[in-house]
Amino acid sequence: MNKVILQELITVLDDSRVIASEAVRQQYSQDESTHPAVLPDVVVYPKSTQDVSNIAKLASKHKMPMTAWGAGTSLEGHSIPVQGGIIINFENMNQIAALHAEDFQVTVQPGILRKELEAALGRHGLMFAPDPGANASIGGMIANNAAGIRTVKYGATKDNVLALTCVLADGTIVNTGSRSVKQSAGYDLTRLLVGSEGTLAIITEATLKLVPIPEHYSTAVIAFESIPQAAQAVYNIRAYGLDPAALELMHPDMMGWINEDRATTFTVAPSLMVEFSGSSEDAVKASMASCQDICTEIGNTGFQAGLGRDARKQMWSYRHALREHNVRRFPGHHWVLLDVAVPISKFPELVAYAQAQIDAYEFDSRIIGHAGDGNVHAGIHFEADDLQTKAQ
């Protein structure tokens, strides 16, 4: 690290918030993906939008790359500082700036973690709907347009962000959007920035749309004879007009792993995890009954249902732990993660095609997906020293 630049950073912040030791830099050289680590030159810890602006001005002056760091939960290398430079760590910008509960809105700093925000909002009967599973930072979720299990009902992050404060590469501070839900005139700069992965600006504050926490839940794990059959059930559920809060496709191996680790008794078969929620217990029961009828017509081989918050919490704890199940069973493996989405009418075709390719190439891979919005994941994994062979 150039000593002149280091001293300028210390002047902009202070010596306790500018760290260039190798031990600290190594902590921020790699996220949760299996992509190679790259050391940044320095790690800085802003406390305000103005701090970030000052850092950006200095970086622009010296033509140094900047990489924002939230929680480092990315599985695809987003947080890795591939060109070195400055890691901007947002752990000190992790507060709720303002809660407007009566308007179903909250303004937060980017470093606040999803579960911390969830706990704070829960005391007011509210929630920020996107749920990618990981305890990601809100800034990271916005930068990557995180989706997750509730996307089918509430949309992805882009559908739940009203306004942003951002810092451009030259240090200019920009405000987009407003707390008004209707924003018809002008360019939609907020949506332009959501999902831009740090290439256009660094997010320093966000106003989010909230929804009331549903009063009632009904959940089910439904087994089928084949993955294409389960995929067809996904389409039929949506085509019937049901409104699931979540609809996940599960590989049979994963159901077996859950049984092994959690002492559950799920049918080891291609499965769907389904949730309905709402203000009326009768309504969610009726939706689940219709869902069961649809799956019976297709030919499901198992149907385990539960009612209430405890059943819901337990089922999604199984789903969110799947990455841990995978990594623990295949230690040291290299992972290539595929994420594809199509219109819901094409979902069964996509799943059948993906499974055919996995079989044809004899990949060690398992299909899983946020099926309700036509989204499929396939994680291909192999020994690290087999990387070149598999890449070919």
Side-chain angles (χ1 to χ4, degrees):
M1 182 66 184
N2 184 300
K3 291 183 179 180
V4 173
I5 300 175
L6 189 62
Q7 188 55 54
E8 288 186 27
L9 281 169
I10 291 172
T11 301
V12 166
L13 302 173
D14 58 60
D15 56 5
S16 68
R17 294 191 286 139
V18 179
I19 309 296
S21 69
E22 183 172 350
V24 171
R25 290 187 293 134
Q26 284 181 344
Q27 294 177 41
Y28 302 100
S29 64
Q30 189 173 29
D31 52 21
E32 291 192 16
S33 71
T34 56
H35 294 291
V38 179
L39 276 177
D41 295 299
V42 64
V43 182
V44 299
Y45 300 80
K47 291 182 177 179
S48 66
T49 296
Q50 189 59 56
D51 279 351
V52 177
S53 174
N54 292 339
I55 293 164
K57 289 176 182 177
L58 192 154
S60 178
K61 171 185 171 183
H62 293 286
K63 301 189 183 306
M64 290 193 70
M66 298 178 290
T67 303
W69 185 282
T73 57
S74 171
L75 301 178
E76 299 185 8
H78 300 98
S79 307
I80 298 174
V82 292
Q83 300 295 328
I86 302 170
I87 283 282
I88 302 178
N89 188 320
F90 283 101
E91 68 178 38
N92 292 331
M93 293 179 66
N94 63 349
Q95 300 300 307
I96 293 176
L99 174 62
H100 305 281
E102 67 282 4
D103 293 321
F104 306 102
Q105 297 174 6
V106 66
T107 299
V108 300
Q109 293 181 313
I112 191 168
L113 301 180
R114 182 182 66 84
K115 291 183 179 180
E116 293 174 357
L117 178 61
E118 186 177 88
L121 296 175
R123 293 192 284 271
H124 300 271
L126 299 170
M127 69 179 185
F128 179 55
D131 179 5
N135 192 21
S137 69
I138 296 300
M141 289 178 62
I142 294 170
N144 293 289
N145 188 27
I149 63 172
R150 292 194 286 240
T151 304
V152 60
K153 183 169 185 174
Y154 297 105
T157 298
K158 66 182 174 61
D159 303 302
N160 294 276
V161 178
L162 294 170
L164 295 171
T165 298
C166 301
V167 174
L168 304 183
D170 65 355
T172 301
I173 299 172
V174 174
N175 295 297
T176 74
S178 75
R179 290 211 304 114
S180 171
V181 174
K182 181 178 178 181
Q183 301 176 30
S184 301
Y187 298 111
D188 192 345
L189 297 179
T190 302
R191 283 210 176 196
L192 176 66
L193 292 169
V194 176
S196 63
E197 299 187 2
T199 60
L200 299 178
I202 296 173
I203 297 160
T204 60
E205 191 171 271
T207 297
L208 310 174
K209 184 192 303 184
L210 307 177
V211 295
I213 296 173
E215 187 69 24
H216 299 283
Y217 292 95
S218 180
T219 61
V221 179
I222 311 166
F224 296 87
E225 291 183 357
S226 68
I227 288 178
Q229 191 182 39
Q232 185 62 49
V234 170
Y235 174 74
N236 289 6
I237 289 168
R238 296 298 311 279
Y240 189 80
L242 298 180
D243 185 26
L247 184 52
E248 297 285 299
L249 176 66
M250 305 285 286
H251 191 279
D253 286 356
M254 296 173 179
M255 302 310 298
W257 296 342
I258 293 171
N259 286 343
E260 291 174 15
D261 293 348
R262 301 294 188 95
T264 51
T265 57
F266 294 120
T267 303
V268 179
S271 301
L272 297 178
M273 285 186 169
V274 186
E275 174 187 307
F276 292 96
S277 61
S279 58
S280 163
E281 182 175 331
D282 289 341
V284 297
K285 283 183 176 180
S287 293
M288 186 59 76
S290 297
C291 176
Q292 185 169 8
D293 290 343
I294 291 168
C295 294
T296 299
E297 287 181 7
I298 292 174
N300 66 282
T301 58
F303 194 99
Q304 295 190 31
L307 193 65
R309 293 179 186 273
D310 290 342
R312 176 193 184 274
K313 182 178 180 180
Q314 188 174 49
M315 185 178 76
W316 294 122
S317 73
Y318 302 149
R319 170 62 180 87
H320 290 328
L322 284 180
R323 172 169 165 74
E324 178 187 341
H325 292 309
N326 277 272
V327 172
R328 188 167 62 244
R329 280 169 172 76
F330 306 102
H333 277 216
H334 186 91
W335 291 80
V336 176
L337 304 179
L338 307 177
D339 188 341
V340 181
V342 295
I344 193 65
S345 64
K346 298 294 184 182
F347 186 72
E349 181 181 339
L350 170 64
V351 170
Y353 175 80
Q355 188 61 56
Q357 296 304 304
I358 289 170
D359 294 342
Y361 287 97
E362 299 181 347
F363 284 130
D364 196 353
S365 179
R366 293 151 190 87
I367 291 177
I368 189 171
H370 306 311
D373 55 318
N375 183 204
V376 163
H377 300 295
I380 301 169
H381 61 94
F382 39 84
E383 298 283 356
D385 58 6
D386 197 25
L387 177 59
Q388 185 173 357
T389 302
K390 289 295 185 184
Q392 292 171 348

